Each structure stands twice: as C-alpha cells, then as structure tokens.
Coordinates of all heavy atoms in Angstrom, one line a residue:
M1 N 91.7 81.8 146.1 CA 91.9 80.9 145.0 C 92.9 79.7 145.4 O 94.0 80.0 145.9 CB 92.6 81.7 143.8 CG 92.9 80.9 142.6 SD 93.5 82.0 141.3 CE 93.1 81.0 139.9
P2 N 92.5 78.5 145.2 CA 93.3 77.4 145.6 C 94.7 77.3 144.9 O 94.7 77.7 143.7 CB 92.5 76.1 145.3 CG 91.1 76.6 145.1 CD 91.2 78.0 144.7
R3 N 95.6 77.0 145.6 CA 97.0 76.9 145.0 C 97.7 75.7 145.7 O 98.5 75.8 146.6 CB 97.8 78.2 145.3 CG 99.1 78.3 144.6 CD 99.6 79.7 144.8 NE 101.0 79.7 144.7 CZ 101.8 80.4 145.5 NH1 101.3 81.2 146.4 NH2 103.1 80.4 145.4
W4 N 97.3 74.5 145.2 CA 97.8 73.3 145.8 C 99.2 73.0 145.4 O 99.6 73.1 144.2 CB 96.9 72.1 145.4 CG 95.5 72.1 146.0 CD1 94.4 72.5 145.4 CD2 95.2 71.8 147.3 NE1 93.3 72.5 146.3 CE2 93.8 72.0 147.5 CE3 95.9 71.3 148.4 CZ2 93.1 71.8 148.7 CZ3 95.3 71.1 149.6 CH2 93.9 71.3 149.7
V5 N 100.1 72.7 146.4 CA 101.5 72.4 146.1 C 101.8 71.2 146.9 O 101.5 71.0 148.0 CB 102.3 73.6 146.7 CG1 103.8 73.3 146.4 CG2 101.9 74.9 146.0
R6 N 102.6 70.3 146.2 CA 103.0 69.1 146.8 C 104.0 69.4 147.9 O 105.0 70.1 147.6 CB 103.7 68.2 145.8 CG 104.0 66.8 146.2 CD 104.6 66.0 145.1 NE 104.7 64.6 145.3 CZ 105.5 64.0 146.1 NH1 106.4 64.6 146.8 NH2 105.4 62.6 146.3
A7 N 103.8 69.0 149.1 CA 104.6 69.4 150.3 C 105.6 68.3 150.7 O 106.7 68.5 151.1 CB 103.7 69.7 151.5
A8 N 105.2 67.0 150.6 CA 106.0 65.9 151.1 C 105.4 64.6 150.7 O 104.2 64.5 150.4 CB 106.2 66.0 152.6
D9 N 106.2 63.5 150.8 CA 105.6 62.2 150.7 C 104.9 61.9 152.0 O 105.3 62.3 153.1 CB 106.7 61.1 150.6 CG 107.4 61.2 149.2 OD1 106.8 61.7 148.3 OD2 108.5 60.7 149.2
D10 N 103.8 61.3 152.0 CA 103.0 61.0 153.2 C 103.8 60.2 154.2 O 103.8 60.5 155.4 CB 101.7 60.2 152.8 CG 100.8 60.0 154.0 OD1 100.7 61.0 154.8 OD2 100.2 59.0 154.1
E11 N 104.6 59.3 153.7 CA 105.4 58.5 154.6 C 106.5 59.2 155.3 O 107.0 58.9 156.4 CB 105.9 57.2 154.0 CG 107.0 57.5 152.9 CD 107.5 56.1 152.3 OE1 106.7 55.2 152.3 OE2 108.6 56.1 151.8
A12 N 106.9 60.4 154.8 CA 107.9 61.2 155.4 C 107.4 61.8 156.7 O 108.2 62.1 157.6 CB 108.4 62.3 154.4
L13 N 106.1 62.0 156.8 CA 105.6 62.6 158.0 C 105.6 61.6 159.2 O 105.7 62.0 160.3 CB 104.1 63.1 157.8 CG 103.3 63.6 158.9 CD1 104.1 64.8 159.6 CD2 102.0 64.1 158.5
G14 N 105.5 60.3 158.9 CA 105.4 59.4 159.9 C 103.9 59.0 160.2 O 103.1 59.9 160.0
K15 N 103.7 57.8 160.7 CA 102.3 57.4 160.8 C 101.7 57.6 162.2 O 100.5 57.5 162.4 CB 102.3 55.9 160.5 CG 102.6 55.6 159.0 CD 101.6 56.2 158.1 CE 101.9 56.0 156.6 NZ 101.1 56.8 155.7
S16 N 102.6 57.9 163.1 CA 102.0 58.1 164.5 C 101.3 59.4 164.7 O 101.7 60.5 164.1 CB 103.2 58.1 165.5 OG 103.9 56.9 165.4
V17 N 100.2 59.4 165.4 CA 99.5 60.6 165.8 C 100.5 61.5 166.6 O 101.1 61.0 167.5 CB 98.2 60.3 166.6 CG1 97.6 61.6 167.2 CG2 97.2 59.5 165.8
G18 N 100.6 62.8 166.1 CA 101.5 63.7 166.8 C 102.8 63.9 166.0 O 103.6 64.7 166.3
S19 N 103.0 63.1 165.0 CA 104.2 63.2 164.1 C 104.1 64.6 163.5 O 103.1 65.1 163.1 CB 104.2 62.2 163.0 OG 104.4 60.9 163.6
A20 N 105.3 65.2 163.3 CA 105.4 66.5 162.7 C 106.6 66.5 161.7 O 107.5 65.8 161.8 CB 105.7 67.6 163.8
L21 N 106.4 67.4 160.7 CA 107.4 67.5 159.7 C 107.5 68.9 159.2 O 106.5 69.6 158.9 CB 107.1 66.6 158.5 CG 108.0 66.6 157.3 CD1 109.4 66.0 157.7 CD2 107.4 65.9 156.1
R22 N 108.7 69.5 159.2 CA 108.9 70.8 158.7 C 109.1 70.8 157.2 O 109.8 69.9 156.7 CB 110.2 71.4 159.3 CG 110.7 72.7 158.7 CD 111.9 73.2 159.4 NE 112.6 74.3 158.7 CZ 112.3 75.5 158.7 NH1 111.3 75.9 159.5 NH2 112.9 76.4 158.0
V23 N 108.4 71.7 156.5 CA 108.6 71.8 155.1 C 108.7 73.3 154.7 O 108.1 74.2 155.4 CB 107.4 71.2 154.3 CG1 107.4 69.7 154.4 CG2 106.1 71.8 154.7
V24 N 109.4 73.6 153.7 CA 109.5 75.0 153.3 C 109.1 75.0 151.8 O 109.7 74.3 151.0 CB 111.0 75.6 153.4 CG1 111.0 77.0 152.9 CG2 111.5 75.5 154.8
I25 N 108.0 75.7 151.5 CA 107.4 75.7 150.2 C 107.3 77.2 149.7 O 106.6 78.0 150.4 CB 106.0 75.1 150.2 CG1 106.0 73.7 150.9 CG2 105.4 75.0 148.8 CD1 104.6 73.2 151.1
H26 N 108.0 77.5 148.7 CA 107.9 78.8 148.1 C 108.2 79.9 149.2 O 107.6 80.9 149.3 CB 106.6 79.1 147.4 CG 106.3 78.2 146.3 ND1 107.1 78.2 145.1 CD2 105.3 77.4 146.1 CE1 106.6 77.3 144.3 NE2 105.5 76.8 144.8
G27 N 109.2 79.6 150.1 CA 109.6 80.5 151.1 C 108.8 80.4 152.4 O 109.1 81.1 153.4
E28 N 107.7 79.7 152.4 CA 106.8 79.6 153.5 C 107.3 78.5 154.4 O 107.4 77.3 154.0 CB 105.3 79.3 153.1 CG 104.7 80.4 152.3 CD 104.3 81.6 153.1 OE1 104.6 81.7 154.3 OE2 103.8 82.5 152.5
E29 N 107.6 78.8 155.7 CA 108.1 77.8 156.6 C 106.8 77.2 157.3 O 106.1 77.9 158.0 CB 109.0 78.4 157.7 CG 110.3 79.0 157.1 CD 111.1 79.6 158.2 OE1 111.7 78.9 158.9 OE2 111.1 80.9 158.2
L30 N 106.5 75.9 157.0 CA 105.3 75.3 157.4 C 105.6 74.0 158.2 O 106.6 73.4 158.0 CB 104.4 74.9 156.2 CG 104.0 76.1 155.4 CD1 103.3 75.7 154.1 CD2 103.2 77.2 156.1
A31 N 104.6 73.6 159.0 CA 104.7 72.4 159.8 C 103.5 71.5 159.5 O 102.4 72.0 159.6 CB 104.8 72.7 161.3
L32 N 103.8 70.3 159.2 CA 102.7 69.3 159.0 C 102.6 68.5 160.2 O 103.6 68.1 160.8 CB 103.0 68.4 157.8 CG 103.3 69.1 156.5 CD1 103.7 68.1 155.4 CD2 102.0 69.8 156.0
F33 N 101.4 68.2 160.7 CA 101.1 67.4 161.9 C 100.1 66.3 161.5 O 99.1 66.6 160.8 CB 100.6 68.2 163.0 CG 101.5 69.2 163.6 CD1 101.5 70.6 163.1 CD2 102.4 68.9 164.6 CE1 102.3 71.5 163.6 CE2 103.3 69.8 165.1 CZ 103.2 71.1 164.6
R34 N 100.4 65.1 162.0 CA 99.4 64.1 161.8 C 98.5 63.9 163.0 O 99.1 63.7 164.1 CB 100.1 62.7 161.5 CG 99.0 61.6 161.1 CD 99.7 60.3 160.7 NE 100.7 60.4 159.7 CZ 100.4 60.5 158.4 NH1 99.2 60.6 157.9 NH2 101.4 60.5 157.5
L35 N 97.3 64.2 162.9 CA 96.3 63.9 163.9 C 95.5 62.7 163.7 O 95.7 62.1 162.6 CB 95.3 65.2 164.1 CG 96.0 66.5 164.3 CD1 94.9 67.6 164.5 CD2 96.9 66.4 165.6
A36 N 94.7 62.3 164.6 CA 94.0 61.0 164.4 C 93.1 61.0 163.2 O 92.9 59.9 162.6 CB 93.1 60.7 165.7
D37 N 92.6 62.2 162.8 CA 91.7 62.2 161.6 C 92.3 62.8 160.4 O 91.6 63.2 159.4 CB 90.4 62.9 162.0 CG 90.7 64.4 162.4 OD1 91.9 64.8 162.6 OD2 89.7 65.1 162.6
G38 N 93.6 62.9 160.3 CA 94.2 63.4 159.1 C 95.4 64.3 159.4 O 95.9 64.5 160.5
V39 N 95.9 65.0 158.3 CA 97.0 65.8 158.4 C 96.6 67.3 158.4 O 95.7 67.7 157.7 CB 97.9 65.5 157.2 CG1 99.2 66.4 157.2 CG2 98.4 64.1 157.1
R40 N 97.3 68.1 159.2 CA 97.1 69.5 159.4 C 98.3 70.3 159.1 O 99.4 69.8 159.2 CB 96.6 69.8 160.8 CG 95.3 69.1 161.2 CD 94.1 69.5 160.4 NE 93.0 68.6 160.7 CZ 91.8 69.1 160.9 NH1 91.5 70.3 160.8 NH2 90.8 68.2 161.2
C41 N 98.2 71.5 158.7 CA 99.3 72.4 158.4 C 99.2 73.7 159.1 O 98.2 74.4 159.1 CB 99.3 72.6 156.9 SG 100.7 73.7 156.4
L42 N 100.3 74.1 159.8 CA 100.4 75.4 160.5 C 101.7 76.1 160.0 O 102.6 75.4 159.5 CB 100.5 75.2 162.0 CG 99.5 74.4 162.8 CD1 100.0 74.4 164.2 CD2 98.2 75.1 162.7
D43 N 101.8 77.4 160.3 CA 103.1 78.0 160.3 C 104.0 77.2 161.1 O 103.7 76.9 162.3 CB 103.0 79.4 160.8 CG 102.5 80.4 159.8 OD1 102.8 80.3 158.6 OD2 101.7 81.4 160.3
D44 N 105.2 77.0 160.7 CA 106.2 76.4 161.6 C 106.8 77.4 162.6 O 107.2 77.0 163.6 CB 107.3 75.8 160.7 CG 108.2 74.8 161.5 OD1 107.7 74.2 162.5 OD2 109.4 74.6 161.1
V45 N 106.8 78.6 162.2 CA 107.4 79.6 163.1 C 106.4 80.1 164.2 O 105.3 80.6 163.8 CB 108.0 80.8 162.3 CG1 108.6 81.8 163.2 CG2 109.0 80.3 161.2
C46 N 106.8 80.0 165.4 CA 106.0 80.5 166.5 C 105.7 82.0 166.4 O 106.5 82.7 165.8 CB 106.8 80.2 167.8 SG 105.8 80.7 169.3
S47 N 104.5 82.4 166.9 CA 104.2 83.8 166.8 C 104.8 84.6 167.9 O 104.7 85.9 167.9 CB 102.6 83.9 166.8 OG 102.2 83.4 168.1
H48 N 105.5 84.0 168.8 CA 106.1 84.7 169.9 C 107.5 85.2 169.6 O 107.8 86.4 169.5 CB 106.1 83.8 171.2 CG 106.7 84.5 172.4 ND1 107.8 83.9 173.1 CD2 106.5 85.7 173.0 CE1 108.1 84.7 174.1 NE2 107.3 85.8 174.1
E49 N 108.4 84.3 169.3 CA 109.8 84.6 168.8 C 110.1 83.5 167.8 O 109.2 82.7 167.5 CB 110.8 84.6 170.0 CG 110.6 85.8 171.0 CD 111.6 85.7 172.1 OE1 112.5 84.9 172.1 OE2 111.5 86.5 173.0
Y50 N 111.3 83.5 167.4 CA 111.6 82.5 166.3 C 111.9 81.1 167.0 O 112.8 80.9 167.8 CB 112.8 82.8 165.5 CG 112.9 81.9 164.3 CD1 112.3 82.1 163.1 CD2 113.6 80.7 164.5 CE1 112.4 81.2 162.1 CE2 113.7 79.7 163.4 CZ 113.0 80.0 162.2 OH 113.1 79.1 161.2
S51 N 111.0 80.2 166.7 CA 111.2 78.8 167.2 C 110.3 78.0 166.2 O 109.3 78.5 165.7 CB 110.7 78.6 168.6 OG 111.0 77.3 169.0
R52 N 110.7 76.7 166.1 CA 110.0 75.9 165.1 C 108.9 75.0 165.8 O 109.3 74.1 166.7 CB 111.0 75.0 164.4 CG 111.8 75.8 163.5 CD 112.9 74.9 162.8 NE 113.7 75.7 161.9 CZ 114.7 75.3 161.2 NH1 115.1 74.0 161.3 NH2 115.4 76.1 160.4
L53 N 107.7 75.2 165.5 CA 106.6 74.4 166.1 C 106.7 72.9 165.8 O 106.3 72.0 166.5 CB 105.2 74.9 165.8 CG 105.0 76.4 166.3 CD1 103.6 76.8 165.8 CD2 105.1 76.5 167.8
S54 N 107.3 72.6 164.6 CA 107.5 71.2 164.2 C 108.4 70.5 165.2 O 108.5 69.2 165.1 CB 108.1 71.1 162.8 OG 109.3 71.8 162.7
E55 N 109.1 71.2 166.0 CA 110.0 70.6 167.0 C 109.4 70.6 168.4 O 110.0 70.2 169.4 CB 111.4 71.3 167.0 CG 112.1 71.2 165.7 CD 113.4 72.1 165.6 OE1 113.7 72.7 166.6 OE2 114.0 72.1 164.5
G56 N 108.1 71.0 168.5 CA 107.4 71.0 169.7 C 106.8 69.7 170.1 O 106.7 68.8 169.3
E57 N 106.3 69.6 171.3 CA 105.6 68.4 171.8 C 104.1 68.5 171.4 O 103.5 69.6 171.5 CB 105.7 68.3 173.3 CG 107.1 68.1 173.7 CD 107.3 66.9 174.6 OE1 106.4 66.2 174.8 OE2 108.5 66.7 175.0
V58 N 103.5 67.4 171.1 CA 102.1 67.4 170.7 C 101.3 66.6 171.7 O 101.7 65.5 172.0 CB 101.9 66.8 169.3 CG1 100.4 66.7 168.9 CG2 102.6 67.6 168.2
W59 N 100.3 67.3 172.2 CA 99.4 66.6 173.2 C 97.9 67.1 172.9 O 97.7 68.2 172.7 CB 99.7 67.0 174.6 CG 101.0 66.5 175.1 CD1 102.2 67.2 175.2 CD2 101.2 65.2 175.6 NE1 103.1 66.3 175.7 CE2 102.6 65.1 176.0 CE3 100.4 64.1 175.8 CZ2 103.2 64.0 176.5 CZ3 101.0 62.9 176.4 CH2 102.3 62.9 176.7
D60 N 97.0 66.1 172.8 CA 95.6 66.4 172.6 C 95.4 67.5 171.5 O 94.7 68.5 171.7 CB 95.0 66.9 173.9 CG 95.0 65.8 175.0 OD1 95.0 64.6 174.6 OD2 95.0 66.2 176.2
D61 N 95.9 67.2 170.3 CA 95.7 68.1 169.2 C 96.3 69.5 169.4 O 95.9 70.5 168.7 CB 94.3 68.2 168.8 CG 93.7 66.8 168.3 OD1 94.5 65.9 168.1 OD2 92.5 66.7 168.2
S62 N 97.2 69.7 170.3 CA 97.8 71.0 170.5 C 99.3 70.8 170.4 O 99.8 69.7 170.7 CB 97.5 71.6 171.9 OG 96.2 72.0 172.0
V63 N 100.0 71.8 170.0 CA 101.5 71.7 170.0 C 102.0 72.8 170.9 O 101.5 73.9 171.0 CB 102.1 71.9 168.6 CG1 101.7 73.2 167.9 CG2 103.6 71.7 168.5
Y64 N 103.1 72.4 171.7 CA 103.7 73.3 172.6 C 105.0 73.7 172.0 O 105.9 72.9 171.7 CB 104.0 72.6 174.0 CG 102.7 72.2 174.7 CD1 101.9 71.2 174.3 CD2 102.3 73.0 175.8 CE1 100.7 70.9 175.0 CE2 101.2 72.7 176.5 CZ 100.4 71.6 176.1 OH 99.2 71.3 176.7
C65 N 105.2 75.1 171.9 CA 106.4 75.6 171.4 C 107.6 75.1 172.2 O 107.6 75.2 173.4 CB 106.3 77.1 171.4 SG 107.9 77.9 170.8
P66 N 108.7 74.7 171.6 CA 109.8 74.1 172.3 C 110.6 75.2 173.0 O 111.4 74.9 173.9 CB 110.7 73.5 171.2 CG 110.3 74.1 170.0 CD 108.9 74.5 170.1
K67 N 110.4 76.5 172.7 CA 111.3 77.5 173.3 C 110.7 78.0 174.6 O 111.5 78.1 175.6 CB 111.4 78.7 172.3 CG 112.5 79.7 172.6 CD 112.9 80.5 171.5 CE 114.1 81.4 171.7 NZ 114.4 82.3 170.6
H68 N 109.5 78.5 174.6 CA 108.9 79.0 175.9 C 107.6 78.3 176.3 O 106.9 78.7 177.2 CB 108.6 80.5 175.8 CG 109.8 81.3 175.4 ND1 110.0 82.0 174.2 CD2 111.0 81.5 176.1 CE1 111.1 82.6 174.1 NE2 111.8 82.3 175.2
G69 N 107.1 77.4 175.5 CA 106.0 76.6 175.9 C 104.6 77.1 175.5 O 103.6 76.6 176.0
S70 N 104.5 78.1 174.6 CA 103.2 78.5 174.2 C 102.5 77.3 173.5 O 103.1 76.5 172.9 CB 103.3 79.7 173.2 OG 103.7 80.8 173.8
R71 N 101.2 77.3 173.7 CA 100.4 76.2 173.2 C 99.5 76.7 172.0 O 98.8 77.8 172.1 CB 99.5 75.6 174.3 CG 98.8 74.4 173.9 CD 98.0 73.8 175.0 NE 96.9 74.7 175.5 CZ 96.7 75.1 176.7 NH1 97.5 74.6 177.7 NH2 95.7 75.9 177.0
F72 N 99.4 75.9 170.9 CA 98.6 76.3 169.8 C 97.7 75.1 169.4 O 98.2 73.9 169.5 CB 99.5 76.6 168.6 CG 100.4 77.8 168.8 CD1 101.7 77.6 169.3 CD2 100.0 79.1 168.5 CE1 102.5 78.7 169.6 CE2 100.8 80.2 168.7 CZ 102.1 80.0 169.2
D73 N 96.5 75.4 169.1 CA 95.5 74.4 168.6 C 95.9 74.1 167.2 O 95.9 74.9 166.3 CB 94.1 75.0 168.7 CG 93.0 74.0 168.3 OD1 93.3 73.2 167.3 OD2 92.0 74.0 168.9
I74 N 96.3 72.8 167.0 CA 96.7 72.4 165.6 C 95.6 72.5 164.6 O 95.9 72.7 163.4 CB 97.3 71.0 165.7 CG1 98.6 71.0 166.5 CG2 97.6 70.4 164.3 CD1 99.2 69.6 166.8
R75 N 94.4 72.4 165.0 CA 93.3 72.4 164.0 C 93.0 73.9 163.6 O 92.6 74.1 162.4 CB 92.0 71.9 164.7 CG 92.2 70.4 164.9 CD 90.9 69.8 165.6 NE 91.2 68.4 166.0 CZ 91.1 67.4 165.1 NH1 90.8 67.6 163.9 NH2 91.4 66.2 165.6
T76 N 93.2 74.9 164.5 CA 92.8 76.2 164.1 C 93.9 77.2 164.1 O 93.8 78.3 163.6 CB 91.8 76.8 165.2 OG1 92.4 76.9 166.4 CG2 90.6 75.8 165.3
G77 N 95.1 76.8 164.7 CA 96.2 77.8 164.8 C 96.1 78.8 165.9 O 96.9 79.6 166.2
A78 N 94.9 78.7 166.6 CA 94.7 79.6 167.8 C 95.7 79.4 168.9 O 96.1 78.2 169.2 CB 93.3 79.5 168.3
V79 N 96.1 80.5 169.5 CA 97.0 80.3 170.7 C 96.1 80.0 171.9 O 95.1 80.7 172.1 CB 97.9 81.6 170.9 CG1 97.1 82.8 171.2 CG2 98.9 81.3 172.0
T80 N 96.5 79.0 172.7 CA 95.7 78.6 173.8 C 96.5 78.6 175.1 O 96.1 78.1 176.1 CB 95.0 77.3 173.6 OG1 96.0 76.3 173.2 CG2 94.0 77.3 172.5
G81 N 97.8 79.1 175.0 CA 98.6 79.1 176.1 C 99.7 80.1 176.0 O 100.4 80.2 174.9
L82 N 100.0 80.9 177.0 CA 101.0 82.0 176.9 C 102.4 81.4 176.9 O 102.6 80.2 177.2 CB 100.8 82.9 178.2 CG 99.5 83.6 178.3 CD1 99.4 84.3 179.6 CD2 99.4 84.7 177.1
P83 N 103.4 82.2 176.5 CA 103.4 83.6 176.4 C 103.0 84.2 175.1 O 102.8 85.4 174.9 CB 104.9 84.0 176.7 CG 105.7 82.8 176.2 CD 104.8 81.6 176.5
A84 N 102.9 83.4 174.0 CA 102.4 84.0 172.7 C 101.0 84.5 172.9 O 100.2 84.0 173.7 CB 102.4 82.9 171.7
T85 N 100.7 85.6 172.2 CA 99.3 86.2 172.4 C 98.6 86.2 171.0 O 97.4 86.6 171.0 CB 99.4 87.6 172.9 OG1 100.3 88.4 172.0 CG2 100.0 87.6 174.3
S86 N 99.2 85.7 170.0 CA 98.5 85.6 168.7 C 98.7 84.2 168.1 O 99.7 83.6 168.4 CB 98.9 86.7 167.7 OG 100.3 86.6 167.5
G87 N 97.8 83.8 167.3 CA 97.8 82.5 166.7 C 98.8 82.4 165.5 O 99.5 83.4 165.2
V88 N 98.8 81.3 164.9 CA 99.6 81.1 163.7 C 98.6 80.8 162.6 O 97.5 80.3 162.8 CB 100.7 80.0 163.9 CG1 101.7 80.5 164.9 CG2 100.1 78.7 164.3
R89 N 99.1 80.9 161.4 CA 98.3 80.6 160.2 C 98.1 79.1 160.0 O 99.0 78.3 160.4 CB 98.9 81.3 158.9 CG 99.0 82.8 159.0 CD 99.7 83.3 157.8 NE 101.0 82.7 157.6 CZ 101.8 82.8 156.5 NH1 101.4 83.5 155.5 NH2 103.0 82.3 156.5
T90 N 97.0 78.8 159.3 CA 96.8 77.4 158.9 C 96.6 77.3 157.4 O 96.3 78.4 156.8 CB 95.6 76.8 159.6 OG1 94.4 77.5 159.2 CG2 95.7 76.9 161.2
A91 N 96.7 76.1 156.9 CA 96.4 76.0 155.5 C 95.7 74.6 155.3 O 95.9 73.7 156.1 CB 97.7 76.0 154.6
A92 N 94.9 74.5 154.2 CA 94.2 73.3 153.9 C 95.2 72.2 153.4 O 96.2 72.6 152.8 CB 93.1 73.5 152.9
V93 N 94.9 71.0 153.8 CA 95.8 69.9 153.4 C 95.0 68.8 152.8 O 93.8 68.5 153.1 CB 96.5 69.3 154.7 CG1 97.3 68.1 154.3 CG2 97.4 70.4 155.3
K94 N 95.5 68.1 151.8 CA 94.9 66.9 151.3 C 96.1 65.9 151.0 O 97.2 66.2 150.8 CB 94.1 67.1 150.0 CG 94.9 67.6 148.8 CD 94.0 67.8 147.6 CE 94.8 68.3 146.4 NZ 93.9 68.6 145.2
V95 N 95.7 64.6 151.2 CA 96.6 63.5 150.9 C 96.1 62.7 149.7 O 94.9 62.2 149.8 CB 96.8 62.6 152.2 CG1 97.8 61.5 151.9 CG2 97.2 63.4 153.4
E96 N 96.9 62.6 148.7 CA 96.5 61.9 147.5 C 97.7 61.1 147.0 O 98.8 61.6 146.9 CB 96.0 62.8 146.4 CG 94.7 63.4 146.6 CD 94.3 64.4 145.5 OE1 95.1 64.6 144.5 OE2 93.2 64.9 145.6
D97 N 97.4 59.8 146.6 CA 98.5 59.0 146.0 C 99.8 59.0 146.7 O 100.9 59.1 146.1 CB 98.7 59.5 144.5 CG 97.4 59.3 143.7 OD1 96.6 58.4 144.0 OD2 97.2 60.2 142.8
G98 N 99.7 59.0 148.1 CA 100.9 58.9 148.9 C 101.7 60.2 149.1 O 102.8 60.2 149.5
A99 N 101.0 61.3 148.7 CA 101.7 62.6 148.9 C 100.8 63.5 149.6 O 99.6 63.4 149.5 CB 102.1 63.2 147.5
I100 N 101.4 64.5 150.3 CA 100.7 65.5 151.1 C 100.8 66.8 150.3 O 101.9 67.2 149.9 CB 101.3 65.7 152.5 CG1 101.2 64.4 153.3 CG2 100.7 66.9 153.2 CD1 102.1 64.5 154.5
Y101 N 99.6 67.4 150.1 CA 99.5 68.6 149.3 C 99.0 69.7 150.3 O 98.1 69.5 151.1 CB 98.6 68.5 148.1 CG 99.1 67.6 147.1 CD1 98.9 66.2 147.2 CD2 99.8 68.1 146.0 CE1 99.3 65.4 146.2 CE2 100.3 67.2 145.0 CZ 100.0 65.8 145.1 OH 100.5 65.0 144.2
V102 N 99.5 70.9 150.2 CA 99.1 72.1 150.9 C 98.6 73.1 150.0 O 99.2 73.4 148.9 CB 100.3 72.7 151.8 CG1 99.9 74.0 152.4 CG2 100.7 71.7 152.8
D103 N 97.4 73.7 150.4 CA 96.8 74.8 149.6 C 97.4 76.1 150.1 O 96.9 76.7 151.0 CB 95.3 74.8 149.7 CG 94.7 75.9 148.9 OD1 95.4 76.6 148.2 OD2 93.4 76.0 149.1
L104 N 98.4 76.6 149.4 CA 99.0 77.9 149.8 C 98.0 79.1 149.7 O 98.1 80.1 150.4 CB 100.3 78.2 149.0 CG 101.5 77.3 149.3 CD1 102.7 77.7 148.4 CD2 101.9 77.2 150.7
G105 N 97.0 78.9 148.8 CA 96.0 79.9 148.6 C 95.1 80.1 149.8 O 94.5 81.1 150.0
S106 N 95.1 79.0 150.7 CA 94.2 79.1 151.9 C 95.0 79.5 153.1 O 94.4 79.6 154.2 CB 93.6 77.7 152.1 OG 94.6 76.8 152.6
L107 N 96.3 79.8 153.0 CA 97.1 80.1 154.1 C 96.7 81.4 154.8 O 96.8 82.5 154.1 CB 98.6 80.2 153.7 CG 99.7 80.2 154.8 CD1 99.6 79.0 155.7 CD2 101.1 80.3 154.1
S108 N 96.1 81.3 156.0 CA 95.7 82.5 156.6 C 95.5 82.3 158.1 O 95.5 81.1 158.5 CB 94.3 83.0 156.0 OG 93.3 82.0 156.3
Ligands
FES201 S1 109.2 81.3 170.8 FE1 107.4 80.1 171.0 S2 106.7 80.6 173.0 FE2 108.4 81.8 172.7

C-alpha cells in the first residue's frame, strides 16, 4: 500500500548527477541520490557495518560505501562489490511541485 511522505525540497538534494542527501523519515535512515534520469532512494545505512551511503562516492549509478568501499547499484540496491554481501532496500520516489516524496510503503 503506497505511503507517500514528503522527504525534502528538491533543491536541497542539489542538481548535479551524483548528488546525495540523507533524510530520516519516521525513523527510517534513507539516502536520496540524483541520477541522470531522476531521483532514487536507498537505505542510508550500509548492509556491512554502520556507515552512511549518502556520504559515499557515486560513479556510474553506483555508490561506494565510505567505510570499506562496498559498491551498491543505486537503481536496485543490489550489492555489486565486496565486502558487503547483501543489498540495501530501495523505495519509490516522485518529485512534485519542487519537493521529493518517498513511498515508505514500497521500502523493500
Ligand atoms: S560499512 Fe559499508 S562496506 Fe563496510
């Protein structure tokens, strides 16, 4: 069941591809990323240990964890580089009227 929640002003994320923004919504630590074709949302917390993916480097639609360098596909949340062995959750995103909304009901 959709549960859209306003996450941030669109301009807070930044306009550059690869921009990231940490948001905490109803206790969920999430990271918003701007890709060439829109905004994506992942868990902000790495699946390996505690580290914030919103502080990682973004290359080719992947984010590298700043702590040990695991790589995650920003579109799917899948892990594509060790040492993490499991992916992170993603959620649907929409941008309307200058704001970014996340569907917490789709977080999986
Ligand atoms: S905490 Fe992210 S790779 Fe170790």
